[in-house]
């Protein structure tokens, strides 16, 4: 028993001594967490540099856009071909992707050798060979009678400008075919395939093997958004926000970025990490000074690194008694498969002895222990370096999503990862240590990059088909210039019908006279009261106007109108209004003052003079009885008499649109048109008012006609279609109906219509403004949709944003076409070749929507090129405007008396 313990102690001590010896010799290859965090930070900086348009040319990590913008969603189906070129063997694959919601993939494949004379020969011969292999495969699988889409896995750095195009930047690994660099490899392959007249293949996608790995795993796990290969070479890809990719136009959605991380350090940024063995290996490689990170990690180089270390240790007398064999001097004699075999848990030492013996060496037990530890240090460093770079990618994903904790999946492939017994465990452990705020699942790719290329092709086919359907729906909302000109012409005709006595009754645009017969000229002055009734709140304002300096000061108080008053009797409503006026006058210390008053009454009225307005019908939730068909000014006067506390001079009853024009006209004498583009309940129509020459009013009494203009208000009570295509009250509902239609077609929300989406009015117009905001990232768009009970993907969010844009753009264009008709009428009425005027504008849709105002203005400019139209935002048109109309009316009354 004692002898056994003694022997065990001897071997333990021997192992410890050998490990310490190797650790001292390879001190610089052992990387602490502090160093790994530093490497991680360096890689993050290189990623940022590679994504920038100006910094990319000098970046070592090229961060190449792949134009893969979507991952599988399970609806893919059909037959696809796939080619995989990038290693010692070339593979052709037929993939059958099942449908009916079942994620089932059936594959048939064939490997073909890749001789050195082909991979390092002429480029034409290389692609001819690939096409010959494809032809052979299709012949044996009886596929030559079919037209099939093809995905091409090409595992070398390419610069892509679209999914089906890629210019080779440089060969890596053992490939050196002449005449291919700086050319489009898809075109090269297409030309080679064309030589086979019996092949009918459509290359839809060029895919890097890393991207293929990510897509393969994403088909099984939708959380997969990173792909890593650790094999002959090494690389990683991940899904990046488009807004961060300067190399590609557009900010919407995400795109897979091929990092090409193998070149990390080519700019010298890892010189403090590289060892003498790394430098010696690099000098003897096919591409000195290139792919330096890859040369410390990948399977093509790990065995050679071990050989160089063993040779140096033998020369130093630290191994094999100082003896060296010719095999140990020979490049490539130790391969990565040998390193993996030597690190096996139980058979490792036996494998080490066998491998060293095959190299012509006579290793002792101590030598075997030392060599095994050399392999451990080399492969562990590889895993550490991969972990640091991967941790940088995971951190970027988490920060992009603005999450405290990230849940994600990394698709893995490559011979080193697959065959090395300790590598996966080491990599996983270090990654989780470096990014403790990321919950990472590592998923081994099944059939790897080749199946992935087929999946990319399947996704491309699906997206292509879906895009056609979406475009077909959105095309209904796209208006040509001819269509807009047609709207303008029809609006112009309706303007004329509405002005003429004979056709007015049939006109859809009613052209209601407002009896506002003048604009502010700057001489207005005094104190005026203004009332603003148009919703659940009622405002009373005191407006002080000073002449000369065009100065207006306002004081106001807001009063609530309870529902029982809104829907009670007319007498109760106007008594409540007068009570509010009394409270305001008392509050302002004006009790007993007789002030001229303007009444903004934002409901459809028929006016016979500026101070008379007959209510046509309530809107906006008002239902007070005994009001419709009555003069609202008389009802207000009667209520004031009933109170018998004060007397007011009610000079004008006005529409809020008229107030908008007058407010802007006070600041700009060229303002002749008022426009309200509103949304919500309080301002729910596109309304427009403009100055019109009195002789145009064929339906007014002759004695009422004069040589000064009057304001016309346009309303559309008989033409609800125009309102429902342009007003804020309806735009959100139109979007909701489109989303339901697209979801029913399986183009949105995985075909699932939520209960909230079925609810009328749930999609408010304010959501259009928020979703279309240029400052809003898709992540925030998804949050808005989640508030509506819609569990959207990134792709869903893009489509929703497109739908909102199509609906709001059409609204702005239609509104612009109507406005262009009025502008052109003003020009022609005045007999001018060129007209310069200002449009006063108000309304939440115009003010708050990020693009509505621009599109409207562009449409007016295009349809009315002879008019120079300026747009001026109104400041409190419904309050200030009512006071200005009152002031102008008083001025004109005084002028009439003096005349």
């Amino acid at each position: 028993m004692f002898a056994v313990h003694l022997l065990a102690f001897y071997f333990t001590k021997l192992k410890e001594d050998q490990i310490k010896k190797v650790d001292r010799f390879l001190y610089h290859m052992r990387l602490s967490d502090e160093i790994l965090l530093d490497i991680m930070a360096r890689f993050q900086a290189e990623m940022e540099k590679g994504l920038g348009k100006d910094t990319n040319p000098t970046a070592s990590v090229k961060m190449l856009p792949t134009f893969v913008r979507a991952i599988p969603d399970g609806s893919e189906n059909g037959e696809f071909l796939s080619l995989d070129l990038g290693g010692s063997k070339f593979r052709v694959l037929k993939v059958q992707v099942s449908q009916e919601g079942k994620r089932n993939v059936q594959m048939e494949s064939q490997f073909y050798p890749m001789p050195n004379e082909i991979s390092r020969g002429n480029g034409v011969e290389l692609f001819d060979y690939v096409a010959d292999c494809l032809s052979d495969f299709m012949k044996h699988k009886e596929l030559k009678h079919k037209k099939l889409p093809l995905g091409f896995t090409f595992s070398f750095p390419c610069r892509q400008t679209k999914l089906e195009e890629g210019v080779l930047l440089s060969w890596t690994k053992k490939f050196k075919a002449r005449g291919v660099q700086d050319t489009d490899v898809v075109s090269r392959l297409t030309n080679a395939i064309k030589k086979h007249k019996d092949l009918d293949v459509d290359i839809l996608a060029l895919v890097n093997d890393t991207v293929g790995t990510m897509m393969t795993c994403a088909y099984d796990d939708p959380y997969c958004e990173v792909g890593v290969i650790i094999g002959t070479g090494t690389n990683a890809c991940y899904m990046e926000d488009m807004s961060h990719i300067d190399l590609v136009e557009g900010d919407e959605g995400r795109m897979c970025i091929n990092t090409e991380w193998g070149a990390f350090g080519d700019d010298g940024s890892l010189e403090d990490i590289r060892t003498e063995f790394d430098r010696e290996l690099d000098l003897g490689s096919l591409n000195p000074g290139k792919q330096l990170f890859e040369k410390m990690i990948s399977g093509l180089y790990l065995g050679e690194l071990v050989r160089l270390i063993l040779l140096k240790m033998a020369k130093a007398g630290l191994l094999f008694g100082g003896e060296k064999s010719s095999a140990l001097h020979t490049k490539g004699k130790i391969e990565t498969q040998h390193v993996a075999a030597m690190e096996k848990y139980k058979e490792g030492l036996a494998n080490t002895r066998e491998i060293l013996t095959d190299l012509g060496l006579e290793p002792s037990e101590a030598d075997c222990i030392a060599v095994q530890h050399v392999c451990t240090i080399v492969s562990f460093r590889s895993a550490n370096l991969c972990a640091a770079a991967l941790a940088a990618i995971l951190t970027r994903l988490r920060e992009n999503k603005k999450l405290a904790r990230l849940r994600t999946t990394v698709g893995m492939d490559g011979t080193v990862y697959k065959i090395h017994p300790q590598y996966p465990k080491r990599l996983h452990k270090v990654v989780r240590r470096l990014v403790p705020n990321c919950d990472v699942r590592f998923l081994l790719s099944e059939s790897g990059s080749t199946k992935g290329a087929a999946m990319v092709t399947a996704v491309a086919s699906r997206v292509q088909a879906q895009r056609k359907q979406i475009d077909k729906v959105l095309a209904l909302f796209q208006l040509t210039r001819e269509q807009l000109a047609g709207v303008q012409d029809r609006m112009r005709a309706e303007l004329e019908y509405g002005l003429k006595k004979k056709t007015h009754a049939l006109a859809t645009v009613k052209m209601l006279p407002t009896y506002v017969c003048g604009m502010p000229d700057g001489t207005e002055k005094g104190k005026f009261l203004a009332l603003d009734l148009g919703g659940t709140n009622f405002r009373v304002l005191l407006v002080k106007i000073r002449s000369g300096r065009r100065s207006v000061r306002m004081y106001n108080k807001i009063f609530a109108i309870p529902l029982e008053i809104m829907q009670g009797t007319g007498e109760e409503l106007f008594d409540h209004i007068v009570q509010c006026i009394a409270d305001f006058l008392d509050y302002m210390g004006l009790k007993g003052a007789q002030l001229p008053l303007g009444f903004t009454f934002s409901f459809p009225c028929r006016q016979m003079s500026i101070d008379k307005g007959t209510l046509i019908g309530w809107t906006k939730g008002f239902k007070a009885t005994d009001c419709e068909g009555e003069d609202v000014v008389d009802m207000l006067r009667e209520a004031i008499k009933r109170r018998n506390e004060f007397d007011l001079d009610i000079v004008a009853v006005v529409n809020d649109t008229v107030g908008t024009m007058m407010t802007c006209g006070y600041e700009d004498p060229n303002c002749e048109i008022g426009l309200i583009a509103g949304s919500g309940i309080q301002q729910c129509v596109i309304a427009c008012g403009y100055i019109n020459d009195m002789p145009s009013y064929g339906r007014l009494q002759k004695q009422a006609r004069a040589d000064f203009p009057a304001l016309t208000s346009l309303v559309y009570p008989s033409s609800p279609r125009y309102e429902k295509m342009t007003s804020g009250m309806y735009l959100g509902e139109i979007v909701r109906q489109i989303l339901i239609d697209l979801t029913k077609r399986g183009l949105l929300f995985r075909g699932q219509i939520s209960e909230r989406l079925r609810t009328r009015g749930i999609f408010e117009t304010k959501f259009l403004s928020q979703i279309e905001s240029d400052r809003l990232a898709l992540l925030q768009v998804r949050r808005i949709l989640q508030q509506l009970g819609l569990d959207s993907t990134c792709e869903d969010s893009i489509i929703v944003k497109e739908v909102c844009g199509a609906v709001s753009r059409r609204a702005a264009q239609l509104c612009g076409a109507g406005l262009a008709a009025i502008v052109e009428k003003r020009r022609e009425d005045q007999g001018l070749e060129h007209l310069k005027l200002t449009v006063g504008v108000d309304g939440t849709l115009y003010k708050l929507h990020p693009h509505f105002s621009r599109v409207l203005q562009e449409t007016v400019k295009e349809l009315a090129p002879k008019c120079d139209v300026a747009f001026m935002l109104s400041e409190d048109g419904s309050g200030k405007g009512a006071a200005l109309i009152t002031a102008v009316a008083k001025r004109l009354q005084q002028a009439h008396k003096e005349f």
Side-chain angles (χ1 to χ4, degrees):
M1 181 63 73
F2 176 75
V4 172
H5 283 295
L6 187 62
L7 188 62
F9 173 77
Y10 168 76
F11 276 112
T12 301
K13 187 72 170 63
L14 177 67
K15 187 174 183 179
E16 287 176 356
D17 290 345
Q18 295 306 309
I19 287 173
K20 286 178 182 177
K21 177 176 70 176
V22 173
D23 282 345
R24 285 194 298 270
F25 192 76
L26 298 179
Y27 172 77
H28 291 293
M29 278 192 165
R30 297 180 66 82
L31 305 175
S32 66
D33 280 3
E34 184 181 359
I35 293 173
L36 293 177
L37 287 169
D38 182 47
I39 293 170
M40 178 179 158
R42 294 185 214 181
F43 189 74
Q44 284 177 305
E46 278 300 311
M47 290 171 73
E48 195 70 41
K49 192 175 176 183
L51 289 169
K53 190 172 184 179
D54 296 330
T55 51
N56 176 270
T58 58
S60 60
V61 179
K62 286 301 181 185
M63 305 292 286
L64 302 173
T66 66
F67 294 83
V68 171
R69 301 190 58 169
I71 62 173
D73 66 1
S75 66
E76 294 79 13
N77 67 87
E79 276 187 317
F80 305 93
L81 289 171
S82 181
L83 306 180
D84 187 0
L85 178 64
S88 56
K89 291 180 180 179
F90 168 65
R91 191 182 185 193
V92 186
L93 190 79
K94 187 198 87 164
V95 179
Q96 174 71 53
V97 183
S98 298
Q99 49 185 339
E100 299 174 1
K102 296 178 181 177
R103 291 179 179 246
N104 183 28
V105 177
Q106 296 178 336
M107 298 180 291
E108 298 178 57
S109 67
Q110 176 68 50
F111 283 97
Y112 294 89
M114 181 54 66
N116 284 340
E117 59 269 23
I118 295 293
S119 62
R120 301 184 189 182
N122 182 282
V124 174
E125 293 172 356
L126 171 63
F127 286 100
D128 283 348
Y129 176 72
V130 172
D132 291 344
C133 294
L134 175 63
S135 177
D136 177 74
F137 179 82
M138 293 183 74
K139 177 182 176 182
H140 284 93
K141 300 297 179 183
E142 298 181 350
L143 297 172
K144 286 200 172 183
H145 63 287
K146 294 184 178 181
K147 179 178 176 66
L148 294 174
L150 181 144
F152 184 20
T153 300
F154 189 72
S155 308
F156 305 95
C158 284
R159 188 173 303 284
Q160 291 185 254
T161 53
K162 47 189 174 183
L163 186 59
E164 68 278 15
E165 180 184 281
V167 174
L168 176 66
L169 297 178
S170 62
W171 287 114
T172 57
K173 294 170 262 196
K174 292 184 177 181
F175 279 73
K176 273 283 187 180
R178 299 183 301 277
V180 182
Q181 194 167 322
D182 298 323
T183 66
D184 176 19
V185 295
V186 175
S187 295
R188 302 293 293 264
L189 178 57
T190 301
N191 292 336
I193 290 173
K194 283 179 180 177
K195 295 175 184 178
H196 294 264
K197 304 298 182 184
D198 55 347
L199 294 188
D200 190 3
V201 172
D202 187 12
I203 304 175
L204 288 188
L206 176 71
V207 185
N208 179 275
D209 54 352
T210 322
V211 180
T213 294
M214 183 191 77
M215 294 296 276
T216 298
C217 294
Y219 187 70
D220 298 316
D221 182 347
Y223 281 99
C224 184
E225 51 191 341
V226 183
V228 175
I229 286 184
I230 311 166
T232 307
T234 186
N235 195 11
C237 69
Y238 73 102
M239 297 299 291
E240 176 63 83
D241 290 355
M242 281 287 291
S243 57
H244 298 154
I245 308 172
D246 289 350
L247 304 170
V248 178
E249 287 189 12
D251 292 329
E252 306 302 338
R254 300 199 299 169
M255 182 181 287
C256 182
I257 289 292
N258 167 22
T259 65
E260 287 297 336
W261 76 9
F264 179 36
D266 286 5
D267 59 354
S269 60
L270 294 179
E271 282 308 299
D272 57 326
I273 305 298
R274 295 174 73 220
T275 66
E276 59 179 295
F277 307 108
D278 298 309
R279 294 185 179 92
E280 187 176 350
L281 180 145
D282 177 47
L283 288 172
S285 68
L286 287 171
N287 53 349
K290 304 292 184 184
Q291 300 294 109
L292 299 183
F293 192 60
E294 182 174 86
K295 288 171 182 173
M296 291 189 280
I297 292 172
S298 75
L300 188 61
Y301 305 103
L302 292 185
E304 183 62 11
L305 274 173
V306 169
R307 185 190 71 83
L308 292 173
I309 293 167
L310 299 186
L311 182 60
K312 179 78 178 287
M313 290 183 75
K315 287 179 178 178
L318 298 173
L319 283 177
F320 319 127
E323 295 295 325
K324 304 171 288 293
S325 66
S326 59
L328 191 59
H329 279 92
T330 306
K331 180 181 174 182
K333 280 295 183 179
I334 298 180
E335 299 177 4
T336 298
Q337 62 178 336
H338 298 138
V339 176
M342 287 189 274
E343 286 196 71
K344 281 191 175 178
Y345 179 63
K346 289 183 178 178
E347 314 98 279
L349 279 177
N351 291 340
T352 304
R353 180 177 295 280
E354 182 181 340
I355 290 166
L356 294 175
T357 302
D358 288 345
L359 290 173
L361 298 166
E362 296 179 3
S364 65
E365 193 70 29
D367 290 333
C368 290
I369 293 171
V371 169
Q372 188 182 49
H373 194 53
V374 168
C375 292
T376 297
I377 289 177
V378 170
S379 61
F380 216 130
R381 184 185 69 156
S382 168
N384 278 338
L385 291 171
C386 265
L390 178 55
I393 290 174
L394 295 172
T395 300
R396 185 172 182 87
L397 279 174
R398 184 181 60 79
E399 291 174 351
N400 283 352
K401 295 182 179 185
K402 296 179 173 59
L403 296 174
R405 192 166 196 86
L406 174 72
R407 176 190 173 186
T408 193
T409 298
V410 178
M412 300 295 304
D413 202 355
T415 50
V416 174
Y417 186 85
K418 284 180 175 179
I419 70 168
H420 193 291
Q422 312 296 333
Y423 201 98
K425 182 174 65 178
R426 292 170 182 167
L427 176 72
H428 303 170
K429 188 175 180 180
V430 178
V431 167
R432 288 171 178 139
R433 205 165 64 233
L434 294 177
V435 280
N437 47 6
C438 296
D439 296 321
V440 188
R441 179 192 181 203
F442 291 87
L443 181 60
L444 186 61
S445 172
E446 178 197 345
S447 301
S449 55
T450 321
K451 176 184 171 183
M455 293 314 308
V456 172
T457 308
V459 170
S461 297
R462 168 178 62 80
V463 170
Q464 201 175 71
Q466 290 176 341
R467 187 72 252 174
K468 285 180 182 177
Q469 292 187 65
I470 293 166
D471 288 345
K472 189 175 180 180
V473 172
L474 296 186
L476 300 172
F477 295 84
Q478 294 166 1
L479 302 174
T480 64
R481 192 192 185 287
E482 290 71 26
Q483 288 173 314
L484 289 171
V487 173
Q488 180 186 15
D489 292 343
R490 278 175 273 176
M491 177 65 79
R492 178 61 189 275
E494 286 296 324
L495 298 181
E496 299 298 341
Y497 293 154
L499 287 170
K500 291 176 181 175
K501 189 173 183 178
K502 289 183 179 180
T503 54
H504 175 76
L506 299 174
T508 57
V509 181
K510 288 303 181 186
M511 304 295 286
L512 301 175
T514 66
Y515 295 87
V516 174
C517 297
M519 296 290 290
D521 64 3
T523 63
E524 293 80 13
K525 62 181 179 179
K527 295 179 181 178
F528 303 88
L529 276 181
L531 310 180
D532 180 10
L533 179 65
T536 54
N537 290 329
F538 169 63
R539 280 196 311 159
V540 186
L541 303 94
L542 174 66
V543 182
K544 294 181 179 179
I545 303 174
R546 297 175 62 185
S547 62
R549 291 167 56 189
R550 291 184 182 261
S551 170
V552 177
R553 295 183 67 183
M554 294 186 293
Y555 308 87
N556 75 89
K557 196 169 183 181
I558 298 173
F559 299 89
I561 300 185
L563 185 63
E564 60 269 21
I565 297 291
M566 291 171 62
Q567 300 184 357
T569 66
E571 193 170 290
E572 289 171 339
L573 172 63
F574 281 93
D575 283 348
H576 179 76
I577 288 172
V578 171
Q579 175 65 54
C580 295
I581 297 171
D583 290 348
F584 180 76
L585 292 174
D586 190 43
Y587 172 74
M588 295 298 297
L590 293 171
K591 212 162 190 179
Q594 189 171 358
L595 298 173
L597 182 147
F599 186 11
T600 298
F601 189 74
S602 302
F603 302 92
C605 282
R606 182 172 284 106
Q607 287 186 254
M608 297 306 294
S609 66
I610 195 170
D611 62 347
K612 287 188 177 294
T614 301
L615 177 63
I616 296 172
W618 286 117
T619 58
K620 310 173 189 178
F622 278 75
K623 294 180 182 178
T625 59
D626 304 320
C627 294
E628 293 180 359
E630 299 294 327
D631 182 356
V632 295
V633 177
D634 284 346
M635 295 187 77
L636 180 59
R637 284 180 177 140
E638 289 298 320
I640 292 172
K641 283 181 184 178
R642 283 195 297 274
R643 189 170 184 88
N644 197 28
E645 282 186 17
F646 50 83
D647 192 18
L648 297 172
D649 180 14
I650 305 174
V651 176
V653 58
V654 300
N655 178 276
D656 51 357
T657 320
V658 182
T660 293
M661 191 195 77
M662 293 298 277
T663 299
C664 294
Y666 187 68
E667 304 292 334
D668 182 350
N670 285 326
C671 184
E672 298 184 13
I673 297 174
L675 169 71
I676 288 184
S679 69
I681 294 173
Q682 292 192 24
Q683 291 181 327
C684 62
V685 297
I686 299 292
C688 190
Y690 75 101
I691 291 292
N692 193 46
D693 295 329
M694 284 293 281
S696 299
Y697 286 112
R699 58 195 172 85
L700 292 184
Q701 298 289 333
K702 285 186 178 179
Q703 59 264 37
R705 296 164 72 180
D707 292 329
F708 53 83
L711 192 92
T712 303
S713 180
L714 281 67
V715 295
Y716 315 107
S718 304
S719 182
R721 289 184 181 178
Y722 186 76
E723 175 184 316
K724 288 175 181 175
M725 289 190 289
T726 53
S727 74
M729 190 174 196
Y730 301 103
L731 299 189
E733 182 60 17
I734 294 172
V735 168
R736 187 183 73 88
Q737 294 290 344
I738 298 171
L739 299 186
I740 288 175
D741 180 69
L742 294 177
T743 306
K744 285 180 179 177
R745 298 173 188 229
L747 305 173
L748 269 181
F749 311 131
R750 302 174 184 87
Q752 302 297 314
I753 302 176
S754 70
E755 283 305 312
R756 293 199 71 189
L757 188 58
R758 297 179 194 273
T759 307
R760 186 177 180 84
I762 192 69
F763 206 101
E764 299 174 38
T765 297
K766 69 177 182 180
F767 293 133
L768 273 77
S769 299
Q770 293 170 2
I771 287 170
E772 289 189 70
S773 172
D774 294 330
R775 299 187 302 274
L776 207 62
L778 279 181
L779 191 64
Q780 293 165 294
V781 173
R782 290 179 71 180
R783 284 177 185 155
I784 292 171
L785 295 175
Q786 283 168 358
Q787 291 172 17
L788 298 171
L790 302 171
D791 183 17
S792 68
T793 64
C794 181
E795 290 71 34
D796 289 337
S797 301
I798 294 171
I799 294 170
V800 171
K801 195 167 186 176
E802 282 187 70
V803 170
C804 292
V807 171
S808 63
R809 181 175 179 80
R810 184 186 69 162
Q813 287 178 317
L814 288 171
C815 186
L819 186 57
I822 299 169
V823 168
E824 275 294 301
K825 176 172 170 53
R826 290 298 301 137
R827 184 184 67 79
E828 292 176 14
D829 285 349
Q830 296 176 51
L832 297 174
E833 182 64 28
H834 189 85
L835 174 67
K836 183 175 182 179
L837 57 71
T838 298
V839 176
V841 198
D842 203 351
T844 52
L845 190 58
Y846 187 91
K847 285 181 174 178
L848 301 181
H849 191 281
H851 307 300
F852 189 94
S853 59
R854 174 182 56 79
V855 175
L856 185 148
Q857 292 174 27
E858 289 172 353
T859 305
V860 172
K861 186 174 183 179
E862 185 177 14
L863 296 179
K866 294 182 179 179
C867 300
D868 183 5
V869 183
F871 290 81
M872 184 179 189
L873 272 177
S874 169
E875 180 190 341
D876 194 15
S878 56
K880 179 179 174 182
L884 286 167
I885 290 169
T886 305
V888 170
K890 293 295 287 184
R891 173 172 58 80
L892 292 176
Q893 285 175 8
Q894 185 63 34
H896 184 68
K897 287 178 184 177
E898 293 174 0
F899 180 76

